Amino acid sequence: MADDNLKQFAEQMGEEHFINANECIFDISYGNEPQERWFKPIQASFKWAMFGRPIVAQRKDGFYAVLDGRHRIVAVRNLFGTDTTFKALVLTGLTQEDEAWMFSHLDIDRRSVPAAETFRSAVMAKERYAIDIEEVMTSERIEIIGVTGQLSAATNASEGRVQKTQAIGTLKVIYNREGKLGLRKTIQILKEAWIDEHGAFDRFPLVAVNAFLTKHRGAKIPTLIKALKDHNPGQLKTSSDGIKANVNISGVGNNVARFGLFILTQWYNGKTRGAGRLSTEL
């Protein structure tokens, strides 16, 4: 359901009621605590005419889980006290999973929701892409910062160290293009080649390796891993930055995938001869 349709659904299914600010809760299982950098500006220029109607889900205990309008509500609490009442659009009969799904899809005047918060709410809502990505990263022992922190507590010497990444958007792009197996293959190659290298699971290496796998589907994975082991993530980024400054390299657009692909193909070809070499034409 698109965001506009979801807003219409909420308006059709919800009922307008006056609720009290101290009855509102922010479920951090699918959303972060309200951020001062967002509610402070609202307080500074607050007008009731601009407050609108927050969207909330009434729970069995009588409290209201806020799905849209967290920062506006915090601003009201700070300015007028926790006993302040206001109009809200109240939905009933939702499960916590329903709340998480609506929270992740509602985009009504919402300011820059952090990627980790959006992903965490998608996991809670059991969205297929989020469940698949979390399963891959958890099984491969890669902690998504702000999402899968339980891995750190679970780690021990026999299981090996936990790596970290915050490249949630990149993981989703790879998953959407190559699916769960493609994402796992990318992660496994990086793990084998650069398991102890800081930055191995940052955006640039993830994009570059996946672009290589997509472009050169017949490439030999052991050869790619050997080529990666001769270098490190920092060299990949540095080499690609050098390409940006070289206007004589034709066909290389100004984006991460193409620069990284060009460098990885060169590294791969350095490990092969004759017919096994790959085209560097982009």
Side-chain angles (χ1 to χ4, degrees):
M1 187 182 294
D3 292 337
D4 287 344
N5 291 336
L6 186 58
K7 181 181 178 181
Q8 292 175 10
F9 171 80
E11 291 175 342
Q12 292 170 2
M13 301 304 294
E15 295 183 359
E16 185 176 89
H17 294 289
F18 277 97
I19 65 174
N20 197 299
N22 64 13
E23 298 173 326
C24 296
I25 61 172
F26 311 125
D27 192 330
I28 61 172
S29 69
Y30 55 75
N32 290 341
E33 291 282 2
Q35 303 295 306
E36 183 174 319
R37 61 179 176 143
W38 297 129
F39 63 72
K40 282 283 189 180
I42 297 175
Q43 290 175 205
S45 58
F46 185 86
K47 293 180 181 180
W48 278 110
M50 301 296 292
F51 183 73
R53 295 181 304 175
I55 298 176
V56 301
Q58 186 174 23
R59 292 185 167 177
K60 293 180 180 179
D61 60 7
F63 287 94
Y64 299 94
V66 181
L67 306 181
D68 185 77
R70 292 181 172 205
H71 294 101
R72 284 175 280 159
I73 291 173
V74 171
V76 163
R77 284 178 174 175
N78 292 342
L79 288 170
F80 308 112
T82 57
D83 288 332
T84 306
T85 59
F86 50 83
K87 287 182 180 180
L89 194 60
V90 180
L91 300 172
T92 58
L94 299 184
T95 65
Q96 192 177 30
E97 290 178 11
D98 294 332
E99 292 174 11
W101 188 87
M102 292 195 71
F103 179 87
S104 68
H105 288 79
L106 277 169
D107 191 20
I108 306 169
D109 302 327
R110 182 170 292 163
R111 300 170 183 258
S112 300
V113 178
E117 180 175 332
T118 301
F119 186 81
R120 192 166 66 246
S121 63
V123 171
M124 172 67 71
K126 291 184 166 42
E127 293 197 46
R128 184 73 268 160
Y129 89 88
I131 294 297
D132 283 349
I133 291 175
E134 185 189 43
E135 190 281 321
V136 169
M137 303 305 283
T138 301
S139 64
E140 297 297 334
R141 301 189 58 70
I142 312 295
E143 177 183 322
I144 304 176
I145 297 174
V147 179
T148 54
Q150 72 276 8
L151 280 177
S152 293
T155 187
N156 60 52
S158 64
E159 293 174 328
R161 64 176 295 202
V162 172
Q163 303 292 104
K164 297 178 183 289
T165 184
Q166 56 185 8
I168 298 173
T170 302
L171 297 175
K172 187 176 180 181
V173 168
I174 294 173
Y175 174 84
N176 288 341
R177 186 172 59 214
E178 300 294 328
K180 186 176 180 180
L181 291 178
L183 176 61
R184 187 183 297 279
K185 188 174 183 179
T186 300
I187 295 299
Q188 288 176 338
I189 289 172
L190 281 170
K191 278 186 65 177
E192 186 166 347
W194 288 334
I195 186 63
D196 293 320
E197 291 286 349
H198 175 72
F201 298 100
D202 287 348
R203 174 173 174 257
F204 200 97
L206 282 165
V207 171
V209 169
N210 187 253
F212 179 93
L213 296 175
T214 302
K215 173 73 173 180
H216 304 302
R217 295 193 181 273
K220 296 179 179 180
I221 300 304
T223 303
L224 172 61
I225 291 172
K226 287 180 181 179
L228 292 173
K229 285 183 175 180
D230 283 350
H231 303 84
N232 61 57
Q235 288 176 304
L236 176 61
K237 183 68 168 63
T238 300
S239 298
S240 298
D241 287 342
I243 290 178
K244 294 179 185 179
N246 188 344
V247 296
N248 295 320
I249 297 181
S250 62
V252 180
N254 187 24
N255 62 71
V256 169
R258 292 172 71 120
F259 289 138
L261 170 59
F262 185 86
I263 294 300
L264 289 188
T265 304
Q266 287 188 321
W267 289 357
Y268 181 95
N269 285 342
K271 292 290 183 181
T272 60
R273 295 180 180 179
R277 295 170 66 83
L278 303 173
S279 171
T280 55
E281 182 179 346
L282 304 178

